[in-house]
Amino acid sequence: MAEIVYPPVVLAAKTMFRVLDNRLRVTGTEHVPRTGGAVIACNHIGYLDFIFCGLGAQPAKRLVRFMAKKEIFDNRIAGPLMRGMHHISVDRAAGKASYDEAVDRLRSGEVVGVFPEATISRSFTIKPIKSGAIRMAADAGVPVVPMALWGTQRLWTKGRPKELTKRHVPIHIHAGEPLRPTPDDDPDALSGDLRARLQSTLDKLQADYPDHPAGEDDRWWLPAHLGGTAPTPEEAAELDAKGSNRD
């Protein structure tokens, strides 16, 4: 398919982050297949994660087709961009159609990006994840590449104002060793393995992160177990269940 929209969007994103000196560190890119289909399963801590997850596949020269809710495609500004980049619209009332489209894309050799936590993690830890990433990879006969991000929450996340022009924010992206599910595997068990790998990678990114909160009021972007003021996983689950307006 013709790539008229996606390359300029990638170039614009890279230029913006370079101007802002958002120090991107991308590692583990040898795990992203250079050819053939693959699922990239990424953690979700901010509204811009799809951009950074996509940049994590750039060293492999791959364009990631993200599964995103239909409402984004309906937006008069975002919609044309999403369609131009050939992302996959997910209608929750007709989920099988988007699942089948993703499997077809994988079988045709494309890379599909998913956020298996489904929504942003307020606690900045890995939430319970859905099994869709494992199931579609097994159906298509492709690997699942776990990818973790850290630092993106400082630009725009739930419960905080946008800081899209914030300068000098380190953003770390790491792709881990792929899982290779088969139709005979238990998708729930492998999803548990995927979650453990994502949390382990996220723990390492947090431990190696070069920045520290500037003061008490800046501790919001750290998880509670690292001394931050983000909700604990239990508190975050309660907020999600209540549909809190802390978004």
Side-chain angles (χ1 to χ4, degrees):
M1 62 183 75
E3 299 295 350
I4 299 172
V5 177
Y6 213 143
V9 170
V10 171
L11 180 60
K14 287 181 175 179
T15 301
M16 181 180 73
F17 298 135
R18 187 161 54 247
V19 168
L20 294 174
D21 190 30
N22 293 142
R23 292 162 281 167
L24 267 64
R25 187 183 77 178
V26 184
T27 56
T29 55
E30 69 276 10
H31 296 307
V32 179
R34 267 50 180 176
T35 60
V39 175
I40 291 183
C42 192
N43 72 315
H44 204 7
I45 53 175
Y47 290 109
L48 301 182
D49 289 345
F50 69 98
I51 297 176
F52 293 101
C53 180
L55 291 177
Q58 280 289 296
K61 303 187 185 304
R62 305 304 302 271
L63 297 177
V64 183
R65 315 300 179 181
F66 286 96
M67 301 185 75
K69 60 185 180 181
K70 177 179 178 292
E71 289 78 4
I72 299 176
F73 288 78
D74 292 339
N75 182 279
R76 65 184 183 86
I77 297 174
L81 288 173
M82 297 295 283
R83 288 187 288 273
M85 290 185 281
H86 308 295
H87 295 314
I88 301 169
S89 175
V90 178
D91 184 348
R92 292 177 182 174
K96 186 177 186 304
S98 56
Y99 179 91
D100 290 344
E101 181 181 354
V103 171
D104 286 344
R105 298 279 198 96
L106 292 167
R107 287 173 175 162
S108 70
E110 294 200 60
V111 177
V112 172
V114 299
F115 295 101
E117 297 167 280
T119 58
I120 289 173
S121 171
R122 302 170 187 264
S123 67
F124 307 139
T125 61
I126 306 299
K127 298 168 59 175
I129 67 175
K130 299 182 181 299
S131 62
I134 294 295
R135 290 188 294 106
M136 67 175 63
D139 286 347
V142 302
V144 177
V145 179
M147 185 176 287
L149 311 173
W150 186 243
T152 66
Q153 79 280 16
R154 298 177 66 188
L155 302 179
W156 187 17
T157 192
K158 285 186 175 181
R160 301 293 304 184
K162 300 177 189 177
E163 295 192 73
L164 303 182
T165 58
K166 188 176 180 65
R167 296 175 58 83
H168 315 305
V169 174
I171 306 291
H172 290 184
I173 306 165
H174 182 77
E177 185 175 347
L179 292 82
R180 301 185 183 277
T182 72
D184 294 330
D185 291 323
D186 180 347
D188 292 327
L190 275 188
S191 294
D193 185 10
L194 173 61
R195 183 188 182 194
R197 293 189 188 203
L198 287 170
Q199 186 63 63
S200 176
T201 302
L202 181 59
D203 288 342
K204 291 175 183 176
L205 294 184
Q206 291 169 341
D208 294 340
Y209 195 66
D211 267 13
H212 301 280
E216 185 67 20
D217 291 342
D218 198 38
R219 290 170 52 220
W220 66 266
W221 56 265
L222 279 182
H225 72 273
L226 292 180
T229 56
T232 65
E234 295 77 18
E235 291 168 341
E238 289 183 8
L239 289 169
D240 287 342
K242 294 176 182 177
S244 169
N245 285 325
R246 287 182 65 183
D247 295 9

